[in-house]
């Protein structure tokens, strides 16, 4: 069973980064695996996560949550609860609503999307188990929880809709005022589609289902809101990916001038999309801080996290693929259904995930015909929204699953079938039938590199050999495209006040140090590390001379933050341009001070030097000294500008698409239905690689989250809408004992839209892994005449496919 | 109503005496009473390992131990073991391999890894994966963590050879 | 979530502990390693008014060889059992089972007495003790009694302990030269509670299985002895036919309930697979 010890599968420990802090290349620090400086304090237990903060007179809020999936609140009496020891106040939804206006999670460019107004604390009715209906504020969290037992509530249970198809039938409508349970619908068809499918030699069809899962950030959602009545100001310490978005939202819904709202994001214990949404309990916490005029903290504990952190990925997708008998794909046909809970999440909406599935299905392949139907329906479960790789794991799995099925029917090797159909590397720019435009992708280079990396032919031979011994191994491939660096086409055009641009300010300090402030946040992905590399490179200083500040609307330029694999590509470009501008300004000052032509000067190794000889002309500390303390020594008309801000927005393409391909190698235990993941490979093209180690680690972490979805993770609900596995003991996430080693290689096609050339990479692993694992399992099952298409692939499902139970 | 108990606990080598509520688990005690915020709670039901601390020389789930139970015990946290230098080799390898991203699991990972390094100096890669399988990391995918620990073990083994 | 308030006492003797139990009755909970109890407290699934911490009571810890049995004190931690040479020599089934219990940080804390008293049907020690025909030593103000493990586990989280009784030790018969044992579990992830587990124990007499004990965990309200399967195999060699007959007999022996992701049929199927694997392990 256990083959980790087999030499050919045993990955050598990854090469240690060959880049100590003093290493540099001709292009500065770009492309070097520099360990990130900010990790040191985390390694010493000296991070500052939101829950580590304490303020004077801090109060703690806990929420009384609906025990029912759908119920009218007949009576809610908080008087006894309010009298419990340590309790400061108790509020129902109406009280909170006086300070916090409701919201509606729709976007104008998702035509027809609808959702009812949502309150921070539900007022008349709870629509999912776990929805907050009252808030108790106490001196300690424990005392608040003690008081929850004294909330007197009476409920009238309402009909519950948990099944997506049931919701689609509108048998029972969750929000009668909306008319039906359809949140969003999209129908799309290319011209000549019917004809193309009718003429196809082969049409294969399969329906794939995906379990709901959730992000399980190790640090739960966390917010500390501090309203100061004297200033009518609100300072919010929040574990968030988008501080400026939250600043705008707190301002508008709490009616505080935006300039008086400051959002500070310290260390964040994992986000993956979970912490980029507006959560009712967090909005209530901010409102309560205003109401009580004191700091209030809320932490979603693990049990609350499962009930209220956004879920994702609950899809059922029927897909058809048409092809010729010699293996040329003609087109794809998709019918996708997804259940999103009772509200479309604000402000990004819960329509985006399904929309992405429509946009991306069939994406790597050169075909002209595409039809897609999407139904996004309300259900009485927790809300769903954007979680790492948004829609990609679905689109990739169904595309790659049906591609493998077609290859199998035609008797063509899956790698060869892909080679015949992947969009040619010289076909760009390319417009995909769904309307998306690809600037430049490298599917064939990636495929070739992957097959070599994994020794595809060798593995196939081994697989064949072992099958004779009744050892069933499977090899699965999954090619993919991925949305990164989104332009305003993603949210801004739909009316959301979510910035697609980012800004960077770079300042030369009097000591010659460089401080940069960037609107992208650090969530652990290494943003601050690569910003150090970019800034040091752009300005011409050593990396240890650079300090990076992020995550504070009070100090950084305005910007979008961390989501949609945009931080490096957008924030990084803004910083590169800011750094270059600062370098130019430094040269201007030095030229003025030294009376030398600035074109003869350069900045290198923390000093202004002679461009031709490299001779040091003026250390940057001297530039700083003159600029700040002795500008009297400079020419009268010269004003030093040692702080520079630049912004960047990608606009030429709606998205900067990346591509890649993954492979999974598994062994199936046909007696138990257990699958052992032996190895995983990824070849990814994310353009310019700023820090190879960080990129690879992003991919590895992403792959394992994808594996979690494929193998373990699913939020299980009873027909009554009760979450059945809302603890870490029952909701299974991958642990070290059950994950494979992951080998990674790159193809590098920089985007020409920016000078940096970086595309996003943070979601790539998650996007492709479930499809690769599914295909590997089905490859192992194939000789037994079995197939699985419902994720996660539990022993139960595999044994049933095998006919063993 | 809460009763209080006086507990004297040696934390990172220093005896501290505090009046504690029996219901307070050790991590809340360390964080709230002593300001040792390096130990984290992430599930409070004993699954994730973010709260791993060392009690009388052995790792424990800090969320599954009451502060009162620690009366008379010696407790070591990431802060103390950083200051003593005991975690230095692991911290260095974790850093160089980026075996942490958000860092929330990291103190627990380090303490668990240190017990492995100390008690199973001949651990294979498979045994490292097994030993570490009670600590959840949602960021890294584990490989770099396993690499880092393996490196420390292999280096020590080489150093131990005559 | 934080625990509801409770009082705490740490008696220095069994007598003091009995007095506390007398005073507080059902509102008291005994605390040993706390690895299940404190999780339940933190989730407010258990709300006792007082915890009686047993760890200061002398004489109920340690592992000792006493004649024909191994006495394991109630406070012995899982990790001590895992690493004990005495246990490895005289009760190898326990050594085989120990690594399956959760993870090291939990095994450093959890105790065998606590696990037996908890009587979680998915736990390892109850099944092992039944398979080994161990005796559980329980003390009360009236004195001490030895309860056969086979009669100890009544149902879900319910044992034969009387209200004021405290487990002080478990006595395990020492293994002989022909003793063979195997402990197998099927888990989705290492350290998880098993979907199905099997503690198997036999005396191998010239290749024949004698005094065979097959005790399942995770398939019922308590450890389940597979009586029919044991009967089919008793005194026989583990031939394919005998194994198949025993696997068939499991249909009558076990009536597992479905769990969150596995149906009853799947659990029964997996129990049969484990039986085959356990027998292979016993005879090789």
């Amino acid at each position: 069973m256990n083959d980790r010890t087999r030499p050919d599968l045993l990955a050598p420990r990854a090469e240690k980064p060959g880049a100590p802090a003093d290493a540099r290349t001709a292009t500065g620090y770009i492309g070097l695996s520099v360990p990130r400086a900010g990790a040191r304090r985390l390694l010493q237990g000296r991070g500052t996560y939101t829950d580590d903060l304490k303020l004077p007179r801090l109060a703690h809020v806990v929420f009384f949550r609906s025990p029912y999936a759908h119920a009218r609140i007949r009576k809610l009496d908080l008087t006894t609860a309010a009298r419990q020891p340590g309790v400061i106040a108790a509020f129902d939804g109406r009280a909170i609503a006086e300070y916090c206006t409701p919201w509606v999670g729709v976007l104008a460019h998702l035509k027809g999307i609808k959702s009812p107004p949502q309150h921070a604390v539900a007022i008349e009715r709870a629509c999912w188990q776990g929805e907050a209906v009252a808030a108790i504020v106490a001196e300690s969290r424990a005392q608040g929880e003690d008081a929850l037992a004294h909330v007197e509530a009476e409920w009238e249970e309402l009909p519950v809709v948990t099944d997506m198809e049931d919701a689609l039938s509108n048998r029972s409508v969750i929000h009668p005022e909306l008319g039906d349970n359809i949140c969003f619908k999209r129908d799309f068809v290319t011209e000549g589609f019917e004809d193309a499918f009718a003429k196809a030699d082969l049409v294969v069809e399969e329906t794939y289902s995906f379990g709901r899962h959730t992000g399980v950030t190790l640090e739960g959602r966390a917010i500390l809101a501090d309203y100061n009545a004297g200033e009518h100001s609100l300072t919010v310490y929040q574990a968030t990916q988008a501080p400026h978005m939250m600043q705008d939202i707190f301002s508008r819904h709490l009616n505080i001038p935006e300039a008086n709202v400051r959002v500070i994001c310290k260390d964040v214990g994992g986000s993956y999309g979970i912490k980029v949404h507006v959560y009712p309990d967090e909005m209530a916490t901010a409102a309560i801080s205003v109401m009580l005029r004191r700091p209030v903290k809320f932490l979603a504990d693990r049990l609350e996290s499962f009930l209220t952190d956004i879920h994702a990925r609950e899809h059922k997708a029927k897909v058809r693929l048409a092809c010729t008998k010699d293996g040329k794909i003609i087109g794809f046909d998709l019918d996708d259904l997804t259940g999103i809970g009772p509200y479309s999440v604000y402000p990004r909406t819960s329509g985006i995930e399904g929309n992405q599935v429509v946009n991306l299905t069939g994406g790597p392949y050169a075909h002209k015909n595409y039809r897609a139907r999407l139904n996004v329906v309300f259900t009485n479960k927790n809300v769903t929204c954007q979680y790492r790789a948004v829609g990609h794991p679905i689109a990739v799995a169904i595309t790659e699953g049906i591609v493998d099925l077609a290859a199998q029917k035609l008797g063509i090797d899956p790698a060869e079938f892909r080679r015949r159909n992947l969009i040619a590397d010289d076909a760009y720019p390319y417009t995909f039938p769904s309307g998306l435009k690809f600037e430049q992708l490298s599917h064939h280079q990636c495929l070739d590199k992957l097959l070599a990396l994994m020794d595809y032919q060798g593995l196939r031979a081994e697989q064949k050999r072992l099958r004779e011994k009744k050892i069933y191994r499977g090899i699965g491939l999954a090619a993919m495209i991925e949305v990164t660096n989104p332009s305003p086409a993603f949210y801004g055009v739909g009316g959301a006040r979510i910035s697609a641009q980012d800004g960077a300010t770079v300042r030369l300090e009097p000591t010659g140090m460089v401080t940069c402030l960037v609107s992208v946040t650090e969530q652990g992905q290494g943003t601050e590390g690569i910003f150090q590399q970019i800034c040091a490179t752009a300005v011409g200083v050593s990396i240890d001379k650079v300090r990076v500040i992020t995550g504070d609307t009070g100090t950084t330029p305005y910007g979008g933050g961390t989501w949609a694999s945009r931080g490096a590509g957008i924030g990084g470009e803004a910083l590169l341009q800011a750094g270059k501008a600062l370098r130019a300004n430094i040269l201007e000052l030095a030229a003025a001070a030294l009376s030398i032509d600035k074109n003869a000067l350069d900045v290198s190794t923390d000093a202004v030097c002679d461009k031709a000889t490299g001779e040091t002309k003026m250390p940057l500390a001297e530039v700083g000294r003159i600029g700040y303390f002795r500008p009297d020594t400079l020419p009268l008309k010269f004003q030093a500008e040692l702080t520079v801000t630049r912004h960047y927005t990608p606009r030429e393409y709606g998205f900067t698409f990346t591509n890649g391909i993954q492979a999974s190698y598994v062994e199936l235990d046909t007696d138990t239905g257990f699958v052992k993941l032996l190895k995983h490979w990824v070849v990814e093209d994310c353009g310019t690689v700023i820090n190879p180690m960080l990129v690879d680690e992003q991919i590895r972490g992403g792959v394992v989250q994808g594996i979690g979805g494929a193998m373990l993770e699913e939020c299980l609900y009873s027909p009554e809408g009760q979450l059945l596995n809302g603890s870490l003991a029952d909701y299974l996430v991958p642990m070290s004992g059950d994950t494979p080693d992951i080998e990674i290689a790159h193809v590098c096609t920089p985007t020409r839209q920016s000078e940096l050339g970086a595309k996003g990479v943070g979601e790539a692993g998650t996007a492709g892994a479930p499809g690769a694992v599914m295909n590997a399992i089905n490859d192992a099952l194939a000789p037994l005449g079995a197939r699985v298409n419902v994720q996660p692939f539990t022993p139960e499902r595999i044994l049933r496919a095998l006919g063993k139970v | 109503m809460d009763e209080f108990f006086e507990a004297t606990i040696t934390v990172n080598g220093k005896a501290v005496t505090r009046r504690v509520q029996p219901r307070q688990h050790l991590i809340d005690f360390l964080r709230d009473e002593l300001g040792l915020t390096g130990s984290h709670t992430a599930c409070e039901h004993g699954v994730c390992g973010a709260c791993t601390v060392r009690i009388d020389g052995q790792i424990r789930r800090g969320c599954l131990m009451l502060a009162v139970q620690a009366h008379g015990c010696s407790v070591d946290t990431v802060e103390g073991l950083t200051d003593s230098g005991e975690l230095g080799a692991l911290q260095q390898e974790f850093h160089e391999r980026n075996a942490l991203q958000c860092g929330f699991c990291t103190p627990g990972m380090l303490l668990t890894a240190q017990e492995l390094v100390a008690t199973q100096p001949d651990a294979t890669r498979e045994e490292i994966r097994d030993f570490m399988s009670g600590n959840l990391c949602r960021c890294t995918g584990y490989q770099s963590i396993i690499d880092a620990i393996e490196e420390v073990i292999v280096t020590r083994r080489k150093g131990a050879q005559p | 979530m934080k625990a509801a308030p409770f009082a705490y006492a740490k008696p220095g003797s069994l007598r003091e502990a009995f007095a506390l139990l007398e005073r507080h009755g059902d509102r008291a909970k005994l605390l040993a390693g706390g690895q299940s109890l404190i999780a339940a407290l933190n989730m407010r699934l258990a709300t006792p008014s007082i915890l009686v911490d047993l760890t200061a009571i002398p004489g109920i810890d340690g592992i000792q060889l006493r004649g024909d049995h191994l006495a394991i004190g109630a406070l012995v931690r899982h990790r001590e059992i895992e690493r004990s040479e005495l246990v490895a020599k005289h009760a190898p089934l326990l050594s085989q089972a120990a690594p399956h219990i959760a993870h090291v940080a939990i095994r450093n804390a959890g105790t065998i007495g606590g696990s037996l008293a908890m009587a979680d049907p998915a736990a390892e020690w109850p099944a092992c003790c039944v398979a080994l025909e161990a005796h559980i030593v329980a003390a009360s103000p009236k004195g001490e009694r030895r309860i056969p493990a086979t009669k100890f586990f009544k149902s879900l989280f319910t044992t034969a302990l009387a209200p004021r009784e405290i487990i002080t030790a478990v006595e395990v018969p020492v293994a002989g030269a022909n003793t063979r044992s195997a402990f197998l579990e099927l888990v989705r992830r290492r350290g998880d509670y098993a979907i199905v587990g099997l503690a198997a124990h036999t005396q191998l007499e010239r290749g024949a299985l004698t005094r065979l004990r097959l005790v399942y965990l995770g398939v019922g309200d308590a450890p389940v002895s597979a009586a029919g399967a044991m009967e089919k195999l008793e005194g026989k060699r583990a031939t394919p036919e005998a194994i198949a007959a025993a696997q068939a007999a499991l249909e009558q022996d076990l009536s597992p309930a479905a769990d969150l992701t596995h149906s009853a049929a799947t659990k029964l199927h997996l129990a049969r697979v484990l039986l085959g694997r356990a027998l292979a392990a016993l005879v090789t």
Side-chain angles (χ1 to χ4, degrees), chain A residues 76 97 430 489 504 663 706:
Chain A
L76 185 66
Y430 186 94

Side-chain angles (χ1 to χ4, degrees), chain A residues 2 14 16-17 36 43 49 52 54 146 215 272 302 524 697-698 701 705 713 728 734 736 741-742, chain B residues 23 31-32 42 45 91 93 95-98 100-103 125-126 129 133 138-139 142-144 150:
Chain A
N2 185 344
K16 274 214 258 187
R36 60 200 173 103
L43 281 159
Y49 303 91
D52 298 340
K54 279 185 185 174
D146 293 346
Y272 330 116
R302 187 55 52 194
E697 286 305 301
Q698 280 293 300
Q705 279 186 18
E713 300 182 37
L728 264 184
S736 64
D741 280 337
I742 300 159
Chain B
R23 65 157 139 177
R31 293 174 54 83
D32 295 344
H45 45 262
Q91 285 165 325
E93 284 301 329
H95 188 234
E96 287 181 12
R97 296 178 178 282
N98 205 49
L100 73 158
Q101 289 178 29
C102 81
R125 188 173 180 82
E126 187 67 9
R129 280 198 176 270
S133 65
R138 193 63 162 164
C139 294
Y142 301 107
Q143 186 173 333
S144 54
E150 191 178 19

Side-chain angles (χ1 to χ4, degrees), chain C residues 127-135 148-150 171-173 201 211-213:
Chain C
C128 289
C129 286
V130 173
L132 291 169
E133 298 181 311
H135 283 78
T150 49
E171 295 177 349
V172 182
H201 193 255
R211 296 183 61 198
L212 174 66
R213 293 292 172 268

Side-chain angles (χ1 to χ4, degrees), chain A residues 521-537:
Chain A
T521 56
E522 172 66 87
Q523 317 277 309
Q525 75 276 42
T527 301
E528 293 183 352
I530 62 161
F531 286 170
Q532 269 190 308
Q533 291 177 253
I534 293 168
C535 180
T537 304

Side-chain angles (χ1 to χ4, degrees), chain A residues 519-733:
Chain A
S519 54
V520 175
T521 56
E522 172 66 87
Q523 317 277 309
Q525 75 276 42
T527 301
E528 293 183 352
I530 62 161
F531 286 170
Q532 269 190 308
Q533 291 177 253
I534 293 168
C535 180
T537 304
V539 180
V541 296
S542 336
I543 198 164
D544 60 351
K545 296 284 187 289
V546 179
R547 295 290 175 272
V548 180
I549 294 170
T550 64
D552 184 351
T553 62
T555 56
T556 70
Y558 201 92
T562 298
W563 42 272
S565 298
R566 64 187 298 287
I570 300 177
E573 177 68 11
L575 180 56
L576 176 66
Q577 297 307 329
K580 285 176 64 180
L582 177 63
R583 185 189 199 124
N585 291 359
I586 288 168
L587 294 180
E588 297 247 8
L589 186 148
L594 299 167
S595 303
I596 305 179
D597 178 4
K598 69 181 179 195
N599 294 318
L601 296 173
D602 196 6
V603 182
S604 174
T605 326
D606 311 323
V608 174
C609 58
D610 185 295
K611 196 186 256 176
T613 66
E615 179 200 349
T616 296
K617 293 289 185 189
M618 182 183 280
L620 290 186
E622 180 64 5
V623 174
R625 190 189 69 81
I626 295 170
Y628 291 114
F629 307 124
R630 295 303 306 275
D632 57 302
T633 63
L634 294 167
L636 190 56
K637 300 254 167 151
F638 185 86
Q639 174 58 51
E641 294 288 355
L642 297 178
T643 301
V644 179
T645 299
R646 289 292 183 273
H647 299 86
Y648 175 67
T649 321
R651 288 185 295 179
E652 195 179 338
Y653 287 82
F655 308 98
T656 305
F657 274 91
T658 66
N659 65 285
I661 185 164
Q662 302 192 14
S664 168
Y665 191 40
V666 305
E667 184 169 309
L668 176 71
D669 181 336
T670 54
D671 289 329
T672 61
F674 277 56
V675 174
K676 182 148 191 89
L677 305 178
L678 300 170
K679 190 83 188 263
H680 201 97
W681 296 266
V682 180
V683 176
E684 175 69 16
D685 185 347
C686 60
T688 302
V689 175
I690 299 160
N691 183 319
M693 173 170 70
L694 297 190
V695 163
D696 288 359
E697 286 305 301
Q698 280 293 300
I699 291 173
R700 288 196 175 95
V703 164
V704 170
Q705 279 186 18
I707 286 171
M711 300 307 299
L712 296 165
E713 300 182 37
E714 183 170 17
C715 301
L716 298 163
Y717 277 86
S718 75
E720 298 76 32
Q722 296 288 314
L723 181 62
L724 299 172
N725 58 339
S727 81
L728 264 184
D730 293 323
Y731 181 94
L732 308 183
V733 296

Side-chain angles (χ1 to χ4, degrees), chain A residues 484-528:
Chain A
T484 77
N485 296 3
S487 77
F490 212 1
Y491 294 112
V493 298
R497 294 171 71 81
I498 298 170
S499 175
Q501 67 85 54
D502 272 288
T505 295
V506 183
R507 179 170 76 225
L508 182 74
E509 303 292 348
T511 54
M513 300 284 289
V514 178
T515 301
C516 45
L517 300 101
V518 192
S519 54
V520 175
T521 56
E522 172 66 87
Q523 317 277 309
Q525 75 276 42
T527 301
E528 293 183 352

